[in-house]
Amino acid sequence: MVKESHRDKTEKVKTGENNKNLSLKDRLFTIVFENDTHAGRSFDIALLWLILLSILVVCLESLPNLNQDYRTILSGTEWVITLLFTIEYIIRIWVVRNKLRYLKSFFGVIDLLAILPTYLSIFIAGSQFALIFRVFRLLRIFRILKLGRYVGESYSLINALKASRYKIIVFLQAVLVVVVIVGTMMYLIEGETSGFDSIPASIYWAIVTLTTVGFGDITPVTPLGRIVASMLMLLGYGIIAVPTGIVSAELAKNRNIKASTRTCPNCRLVIQDEGDNYCKNCGLQLEKKENNKV
């Protein structure tokens, strides 16, 4: 008799087939990690509201003139939320098949950071404000709202950035050379009387000017200094378009690559390419996704 896979059990929960024969672990797995069932979707939505409430509590606790009674209420609320997150984290570790991969995954680390600062605040004052990291858990909203096409586009952008990283590094090195040279020139031209009292301060001015930010805390006053500054400003407008063009070219090359939001049932890795038959992380054979033709 062939042993029923974890994915098959999950599909039965979704379809309502033999729900009574499934173990508590399988039921919890479907609720916690899947959102195709009413219970799973409700769990994820409740979790997002809890995260938002926690972020609001952390922000309110940072108010300097907050009444002590309100601060006590907020602190108690934060501990209740942390206990709920702790229970959820333990359940996730219990139900997932490959526990180590989950613990080392992006969401596994974020789930840990969501509860760790509150416990550290017992020993280290002020560490509870690191709970703002819980905002990263809101990334789960992409799964809940079925924004698959946006997830796919994000993978295309990530791949384009990876493919163009060496060109961008060379570009940044060229920019660094320009700001060092121009900053040194302005230090020699303007001097301390105009605010260019050191080469690092002059390089800071060159970076601010090249990026067209222009804080105005340091400005050239000599005619030659203004000429150099004008040339650097015009160069800044041209430089802005360079990294955009590099990334756009890579996006054009990869526009035909299709992305997928399938998830490996073993290690929970998101399968990026629809054509993948095996998980790149654990090697599990994946079910083929059939294309619906009208």
Side-chain angles (χ1 to χ4, degrees):
M1 184 177 180
V2 180
K3 187 177 181 180
E4 189 176 28
S5 67
H6 194 88
R7 187 178 183 86
D8 294 334
K9 294 178 180 178
T10 303
E11 291 299 325
K12 284 188 175 182
V13 174
K14 295 177 183 178
T15 58
E17 180 183 352
N18 296 332
N19 282 353
K20 296 181 180 179
N21 297 330
L22 293 174
S23 64
L24 175 62
K25 190 174 183 179
D26 293 326
R27 290 173 180 271
L28 289 176
F29 178 87
T30 304
I31 294 174
V32 172
F33 283 100
E34 302 290 342
N35 71 312
D36 293 335
T37 62
H38 177 72
R41 187 179 180 85
S42 299
F43 173 81
D44 285 339
I45 293 176
L47 184 63
L48 290 181
W49 279 110
L50 200 61
I51 294 169
L52 291 173
L53 176 61
S54 172
I55 295 172
L56 177 62
V57 169
V58 172
C59 293
L60 291 177
E61 280 184 318
S62 65
L63 296 176
N65 299 323
L66 187 65
N67 185 282
Q68 185 60 39
D69 294 335
Y70 291 120
R71 194 177 297 277
T72 302
I73 294 173
L74 292 174
S75 178
T77 303
E78 178 54 46
W79 272 104
V80 172
I81 294 174
T82 300
L83 290 175
L84 293 176
F85 281 145
T86 304
I87 295 173
E88 179 230 353
Y89 183 66
I90 294 173
I91 291 175
R92 287 182 182 274
I93 297 175
W94 180 53
V95 301
V96 74
R97 176 178 296 179
N98 198 321
K99 295 176 174 50
L100 183 60
R101 290 192 186 278
Y102 166 71
L103 292 174
K104 295 191 299 183
S105 66
F106 172 77
F107 279 114
V109 174
I110 293 299
D111 291 343
L112 177 61
L113 291 177
I115 60 176
L116 195 58
T118 302
Y119 295 109
L120 288 178
S121 65
I122 300 176
F123 309 100
I124 305 174
S127 61
Q128 69 271 18
F129 294 109
L131 289 172
I132 203 67
F133 284 113
R134 285 178 180 172
V135 71
F136 287 106
R137 301 193 72 186
L138 293 175
L139 293 174
R140 298 181 190 274
I141 198 171
F142 282 93
R143 183 185 68 176
I144 297 172
L145 298 181
K146 299 290 187 180
L147 301 180
R149 55 182 176 179
Y150 298 106
V151 175
E153 293 299 327
S154 68
Y155 285 131
S156 299
L157 180 59
I158 292 172
N159 292 332
L161 290 174
K162 287 182 179 178
S164 58
R165 63 185 181 276
Y166 297 114
K167 297 177 183 177
I168 294 178
I169 290 173
V170 172
F171 164 76
L172 292 177
Q173 289 175 344
V175 171
L176 180 62
V177 172
V178 171
V179 297
V180 170
I181 293 175
V182 175
T184 305
M185 289 175 56
M186 293 299 291
Y187 172 72
L188 297 175
I189 295 171
E190 294 292 333
E192 296 182 5
T193 56
S194 300
F196 297 83
D197 53 359
S198 65
I199 291 180
S202 302
I203 292 175
Y204 157 78
W205 170 87
I207 294 173
V208 170
T209 305
L210 185 66
T211 55
T212 69
V213 176
F215 289 130
D217 51 344
I218 306 176
T219 55
V221 295
T222 63
L224 181 58
R226 291 179 177 179
I227 291 174
V228 175
S230 299
M231 295 176 61
L232 188 62
M233 293 175 196
L234 294 175
L235 180 62
Y237 282 107
I239 283 179
I240 290 174
V242 175
T244 305
I246 293 173
V247 177
S248 299
E250 293 297 334
L251 283 172
K253 290 180 182 179
N254 299 326
R255 65 182 182 273
N256 293 325
I257 298 178
K258 296 181 179 179
S260 170
T261 57
R262 289 186 298 166
T263 304
C264 174
N266 182 37
C267 66
R268 315 308 304 168
L269 177 72
V270 175
I271 308 302
Q272 300 181 13
D273 195 339
E274 284 185 347
D276 288 349
N277 295 322
Y278 295 89
C279 176
K280 295 180 180 180
N281 189 28
C282 65
L284 180 70
Q285 185 174 3
L286 305 171
E287 294 183 359
K288 292 184 179 180
K289 187 177 180 180
E290 298 180 358
N291 296 324
N292 296 327
K293 299 181 180 180
V294 180

